[in-house]
Amino acid sequence: MKVLLRVSVLLLIVLIIIYYMENRVKENKPLESPVQHGTALPVPDMGESNGGERTARPEKGLSTWVGKSAESLSKEIGKPNRIEPSEFDYDWWIYTNIPKMMVGVKDGKINQVYSADYAAMVEPFEIGQSVEDIYRFTIVESEINVEIDGSVYTFTLNSEDRKNRLLIAYENLYAHLYIDDEDGELEAIRFIDPVTLVIHQPYDMTYMGEIITFIRPSSTVQLEVDRAMERQIFELTNVYREKHGFAKLKKNDQLELIARAHSKDMALENYFSHESPVAGNLADRLKEVAVEQKKAGENIAFNYIDAIDAVHGWHNSPAHRSVLLDKNFTHLGTGAYGHYYTQVFVRMNAAEKNNQKK
């Protein structure tokens, strides 16, 4: 009898521990972009350029659209599901069918194409291709010069870039390869033209000549950009989850408001943390709006150029990846304010899920 009682007490203790572990709110270290955008350094003489001879552009696949008219794309594959503004004075054409992709359009001309879809034709690469295979058949340089109207822009790839953010040069085209650090496979790819690449400055950059500028959005347009990035972060998160065998998350308006408020708070109050001086930590913020949840987690990021780079950054950071790909989460809210990004994940119990449907 005593043995049975002891076993029962021990089992109760274990159940209590599991219960509290399931109800924990997970916060991890904030993630900042490895590149400080807008800090390109001018140099008087960069020496001999290596940007002369380039590998010929691929003859088929999504990359062939870069430089062509958006009208020709629309005629061949159809109109996009939606069109959204970007911070960099071009629009995103969003295609959510097969293949899922994002197409940058400026003045009626395509300046970039991005996809993480296995169905996307991204010659000479394949989504899911091993990084060893890429290195075997591709020239990967540590420094790449981009020449535009007599000016030379040099991108320097550090050791981390060469692991998971490769840049491959072709004739008047560049391929930005997003590698999955954990799996060692090509997760996504962005084909981009020279001018847009220089404006983005996704790597450490020096230049000789004139820096390229762009028209920054008004405060009204910036609000539209922020809402667009929230939608893109949500969709890209589900793309990555599906690719790794996890269920898609459902959008939740309350979580979206929490995430949006936190991104705005960080920007306006000039801090970068899960802990708000006013609203407290994630548990406090969830409690404030009466969000019932079994488990919660939060990812925040700063200074990434867009939703694509922010989600890739979270995905390749082990702590943030564990939240983004957590199989137990059911709902997601995303928030963007300028270059501050927030994801709020929760696992809702059955009663709360039913309330969300009403």
Side-chain angles (χ1 to χ4, degrees):
M1 189 68 178
K2 289 182 179 180
V3 174
L4 182 60
L5 180 60
R6 289 173 181 173
V7 171
S8 300
V9 171
L10 182 59
L11 180 60
L12 179 62
I13 292 173
V14 171
L15 290 174
I16 291 173
I17 292 174
I18 292 174
Y19 175 83
Y20 280 104
M21 287 181 67
E22 282 293 303
N23 276 276
R24 70 187 185 278
V25 174
K26 187 170 183 180
E27 297 175 346
N28 44 45
K29 187 177 179 181
L31 187 68
E32 185 170 358
S33 169
V35 180
Q36 296 300 313
H37 304 288
T39 58
L41 297 175
V43 294
D45 185 2
M46 299 172 64
E48 185 177 349
S49 169
N50 69 345
E53 194 70 23
R54 291 296 190 203
T55 303
R57 290 181 59 151
E59 296 181 354
K60 56 182 179 179
L62 294 185
S63 69
T64 61
W65 288 110
V66 177
K68 293 182 178 180
S69 71
E71 183 180 2
S72 63
L73 176 66
S74 181
K75 287 180 178 179
E76 181 158 332
I77 70 171
K79 294 181 179 180
N81 297 89
R82 64 180 192 271
I83 298 176
E84 299 177 329
S86 79
E87 179 188 353
F88 299 98
D89 195 31
Y90 58 77
D91 289 331
W92 280 118
W93 284 25
I94 309 295
Y95 288 86
T96 59
N97 299 319
I98 297 176
K100 296 182 178 70
M101 63 180 180
M102 298 171 61
V103 179
V105 177
K106 180 176 173 59
D107 298 328
K109 186 178 178 181
I110 296 171
N111 62 26
Q112 61 189 303
V113 180
Y114 165 88
S115 184
D117 195 333
Y118 283 119
M121 306 297 287
V122 295
E123 286 86 347
F125 308 101
E126 293 181 11
I127 302 298
Q129 184 178 7
S130 72
V131 68
E132 291 86 358
D133 194 42
I134 291 172
Y135 267 96
R136 189 177 300 116
F137 299 105
T138 309
I139 298 174
V140 179
E141 301 172 305
S142 297
E143 285 193 351
I144 294 179
N145 286 350
V146 180
E147 298 184 17
I148 302 173
D149 296 333
S151 296
V152 181
Y153 309 87
T154 297
F155 292 105
T156 301
L157 278 64
N158 59 36
S159 59
E160 196 66 21
D161 294 330
R162 288 171 62 83
K163 283 175 54 184
N164 57 46
R165 295 193 323 127
L166 301 180
L167 184 64
I168 311 300
Y170 297 97
E171 292 177 359
N172 205 38
L173 174 76
Y174 296 84
H176 187 161
L177 276 58
Y178 297 92
I179 306 296
D180 184 328
D181 253 352
E182 184 170 309
D183 296 343
E185 296 178 351
L186 179 61
E187 189 75 25
I189 191 167
R190 186 193 316 230
F191 294 106
I192 189 167
D193 70 16
V195 172
T196 311
L197 177 66
V198 171
I199 289 174
H200 281 185
Q201 296 182 31
Y203 306 90
D204 291 329
M205 188 181 90
T206 56
Y207 66 95
M208 181 175 62
E210 299 294 327
I211 192 68
I212 299 177
T213 59
F214 62 95
I215 300 174
R216 296 190 177 277
S218 65
S219 57
T220 301
V221 174
Q222 184 61 54
L223 287 175
E224 296 178 13
V225 171
D226 291 340
R227 299 296 83 80
M229 286 197 289
E230 290 171 357
R231 288 187 289 269
Q232 293 162 19
I233 288 172
F234 180 86
E235 291 176 352
L236 289 171
T237 298
N238 274 334
V239 167
Y240 275 47
R241 285 179 63 90
E242 280 192 298
K243 288 178 66 177
H244 290 275
F246 299 104
K248 293 172 64 175
L249 301 172
K250 297 178 181 179
K251 184 174 289 188
N252 179 278
D253 293 339
Q254 287 178 297
L255 298 181
E256 189 172 81
L257 292 175
I258 292 172
R260 185 179 299 163
H262 191 61
S263 289
K264 183 177 181 179
D265 192 41
M266 287 190 292
L268 298 184
E269 298 300 326
N270 194 30
Y271 72 93
F272 186 38
S273 169
H274 293 283
E275 183 85 23
S276 165
V278 177
N281 59 26
L282 178 57
D284 297 327
R285 287 177 269 130
L286 289 169
K287 186 177 180 180
E288 179 67 22
V289 295
V291 172
E292 297 292 335
Q293 43 79 28
K294 219 23 191 163
K295 181 179 180 180
E298 183 175 64
N299 283 336
I300 59 176
F302 170 63
N303 211 28
Y304 284 90
I305 59 175
D306 56 19
I308 294 170
D309 271 23
V311 173
H312 177 70
W314 282 322
H315 180 255
N316 257 358
S317 166
H320 299 84
R321 180 191 184 101
S322 68
V323 175
L324 192 147
L325 298 182
D326 191 311
K327 66 180 181 180
N328 295 308
F329 289 134
T330 59
H331 291 73
L332 170 66
T334 58
Y337 193 93
H339 287 168
Y340 289 86
Y341 310 101
T342 303
Q343 292 176 305
V344 176
F345 302 79
V346 301
R347 174 187 176 189
M348 289 187 174
N349 56 38
E352 184 64 18
K353 287 181 185 178
N354 291 333
N355 288 337
Q356 291 295 317
K357 296 177 181 179
K358 295 178 181 179

